[in-house]
Amino acid sequence: MELEDDPAGSYEEAPWPLCIPGSNKLEAKSMMTFLMVRWSAIVALAGLLTACSWCRGAQAQAPDVEAAKKEGNVIVYGSVVPQSMQINAGFEKKYGIRVDYWRADSTNIMDRALTEWRAGRPGFDIVEGSRAPQIIMKKEGLFISYVPPSSEKFPQQFKEKEALMTAWRALPISILYNTELVKPGEAPKKWDDLLDTKWQGFIGMPDPSQHATTATFLWSLRKIMGERWLDFAKALAKQKPRMVAALAPVTDEIIRGEVRVGITYIKYVKQYKGPIDYVLMDHHLSDPNYMSVGTKATHPYAARLYMEYGCSLEGQTAMAGEGEFVLYPGVNPAIKDAEKVAQTMIFMDVPTAEELKKLTDDFHRIFFGS
């Protein structure tokens, strides 16, 4: 009887070893088949073990509170204005660990962190910032893998498989306006409305040739406008917008009446005092913000504990009270229609470093003519 006629599995009961001098042809074939099956199983098992090992590396890990307390402080580079970074005070009070907080916009944070890293003298334990700059730093090896336990409750779409970056809040962008200079019924309802001649010279926005988030935002408008996004950017430039360095100063200009409307974060409606409101749109381009632990953090235990606190219900509730759109289920900022904004958020695209360089160069030509 040939092997292919053998009932399934009958040859597996033959004694070991089968392939010995004098074995017949059937036994040799049986042995070869057995070895192939055995090898396939070994390979599959090795692959499974590797996958499991990778999964374990990306699983949540409770921070060592006592080790963090012994370190005594944590150094954070963050993009949230200090008066709104409520987790700092809460963390210090709860654990007695000092937070050394340096604030800048995400682009400047990236520039400083990369400069320090390349010089071999990183000064940060935690970096917090927007998605595009954070990804650039991740690719340069600045971060180690860590999953705060509380972040496992966050929506799946915010999670990154490498766990080198942990999303902890989102930043939807809209049109903000001065309620003393612009009546609600006269405010723009959508992005194209900014091209009305009545807004010429009265629009505030960050310089997209210098500010990575604004460059990314304009490029990501293609998710709403399709290929018209570039025509919109060119038409916006003809409106002669008042340029500033980052998104926060746009709000200051709106409140002071230096501009009537501006492109910036919705959260500033809560975080700034003054005659200001925002436009609720059908879709809101949003930029998830991330925390990451530095590969060469001086205070690695305190860094992990800080991240966990920022992602916890306590930390997320404190930030939502300051107008932040956080990721913890059921926690919303104290802003009118915040739930509707959260339901209509669309993630901005993430350009590569090369794409971002081209975008900023192109925007310099579009907005400044050179």
Side-chain angles (χ1 to χ4, degrees), residues 16 26 28 60 81 88 125 137 141 155 157 160 181 228 254 279 284 297 303 322 358 360:
W16 173 271
L26 171 59
V81 292
N88 289 350
D125 298 316
M137 289 184 280
Q157 66 265 32
E160 296 223 337
L181 301 176
R228 288 196 308 109
I254 296 171
V279 177
H284 298 88
E322 288 294 313
K358 184 179 185 304
T360 54

Side-chain angles (χ1 to χ4, degrees), residues 330-347:
V331 179
N332 294 302
I335 293 175
K336 177 186 64 178
D337 293 326
E339 298 88 348
K340 294 179 181 178
V341 173
Q343 293 167 4
T344 56
M345 289 194 298
I346 300 174
F347 286 177

Side-chain angles (χ1 to χ4, degrees), residues 23-322:
S23 296
N24 61 34
K25 204 176 285 187
L26 171 59
E27 290 174 331
K29 286 186 178 181
S30 297
M31 181 59 189
M32 183 174 292
T33 303
F34 177 86
L35 291 175
M36 289 176 66
V37 170
R38 186 179 181 88
W39 176 249
S40 297
I42 292 171
V43 171
L45 178 60
L48 178 61
L49 291 173
T50 300
C52 290
S53 174
W54 180 89
C55 290
R56 283 196 297 270
Q59 284 180 342
Q61 179 184 0
D64 189 329
V65 177
E66 293 308 313
K69 287 181 176 180
K70 288 180 181 179
E71 290 177 342
N73 73 298
V74 60
I75 302 169
V76 181
Y77 292 178
S79 60
V80 183
V81 292
Q83 62 269 27
S84 297
M85 195 63 162
Q86 289 299 308
I87 60 172
N88 289 350
F91 180 79
E92 290 180 337
K93 181 178 180 180
K94 185 169 186 174
Y95 297 109
I97 300 171
R98 187 178 75 254
V99 179
D100 295 325
Y101 187 70
W102 180 75
R103 191 267 165 185
D105 67 78
S106 294
T107 306
N108 286 330
I109 289 171
M110 176 185 69
D111 290 342
R112 176 172 175 171
L114 286 174
T115 298
E116 292 176 349
W117 175 261
R118 291 164 181 169
R121 297 189 299 273
F124 56 87
D125 298 316
I126 290 281
V127 174
E128 188 276 341
S130 59
R131 195 177 187 192
Q134 205 86 350
I135 286 176
I136 291 171
M137 289 184 280
K138 178 185 77 170
K139 290 181 177 179
E140 289 239 1
L142 273 67
F143 309 140
I144 61 170
S145 176
Y146 177 63
V147 179
S150 292
S151 71
E152 293 197 315
K153 298 181 176 67
F154 295 171
Q156 190 63 36
Q157 66 265 32
F158 287 95
K159 299 176 183 178
E160 296 223 337
K161 64 180 181 179
E162 301 99 333
L164 296 170
M165 298 160 45
T166 298
W168 72 298
R169 63 188 182 116
L171 298 161
I173 294 174
S174 186
I175 301 169
L176 274 61
Y177 62 94
N178 186 306
T179 56
E180 293 179 351
L181 301 176
V182 180
K183 296 178 181 179
E186 298 173 349
K189 300 295 187 297
K190 56 185 184 297
W191 294 112
D192 284 323
D193 291 347
L194 288 178
L195 305 183
D196 192 305
T197 54
K198 70 180 180 180
W199 304 120
Q200 191 170 87
F202 296 109
I203 301 171
M205 63 179 290
D207 177 358
S209 70
Q210 299 291 328
H211 190 247
T213 300
T214 302
T216 302
F217 162 75
L218 290 173
W219 183 55
S220 297
L221 281 172
R222 58 187 180 169
K223 289 191 167 185
I224 298 173
M225 301 179 176
E227 294 307 312
R228 288 196 308 109
W229 76 270
L230 185 56
D231 292 333
F232 171 82
K234 291 177 179 178
L236 183 63
K238 292 179 181 178
Q239 291 288 71
K240 303 185 186 306
R242 185 182 177 95
M243 298 287 196
V244 292
L247 289 156
V250 173
T251 312
D252 288 323
E253 292 201 327
I254 296 171
I255 291 172
R256 291 195 299 263
E258 295 173 7
V259 296
R260 297 176 185 173
V261 297
I263 299 171
T264 188
Y265 291 136
I266 294 174
K267 66 174 188 166
Y268 292 146
V269 170
K270 168 66 177 176
Q271 295 178 358
Y272 284 73
K273 304 299 182 184
I276 193 166
D277 203 352
Y278 79 100
V279 177
L280 180 65
M281 298 185 177
D282 293 335
H283 303 287
H284 298 88
L285 286 173
S286 303
D287 190 17
N289 265 41
Y290 298 82
M291 286 190 191
S292 300
V293 177
T295 301
K296 298 181 180 180
T298 305
H299 312 99
Y301 294 105
R304 289 172 172 82
L305 183 60
Y306 181 89
M307 277 185 62
E308 165 58 17
Y309 182 77
C311 295
S312 70
L313 177 58
E314 182 178 344
Q316 295 269 288
T317 300
M319 294 302 293
E322 288 294 313

Side-chain angles (χ1 to χ4, degrees), residues 322-368:
E322 288 294 313
E324 296 289 345
F325 288 80
V326 295
L327 304 185
Y328 205 97
V331 179
N332 294 302
I335 293 175
K336 177 186 64 178
D337 293 326
E339 298 88 348
K340 294 179 181 178
V341 173
Q343 293 167 4
T344 56
M345 289 194 298
I346 300 174
F347 286 177
M348 296 197 295
D349 287 330
V350 181
T352 63
E354 294 75 19
E355 287 173 330
L356 183 60
K357 176 65 167 60
K358 184 179 185 304
L359 281 171
T360 54
D361 289 345
D362 288 345
F363 287 138
H364 193 275
R365 287 189 293 271
I366 290 171
F367 284 87
F368 300 100

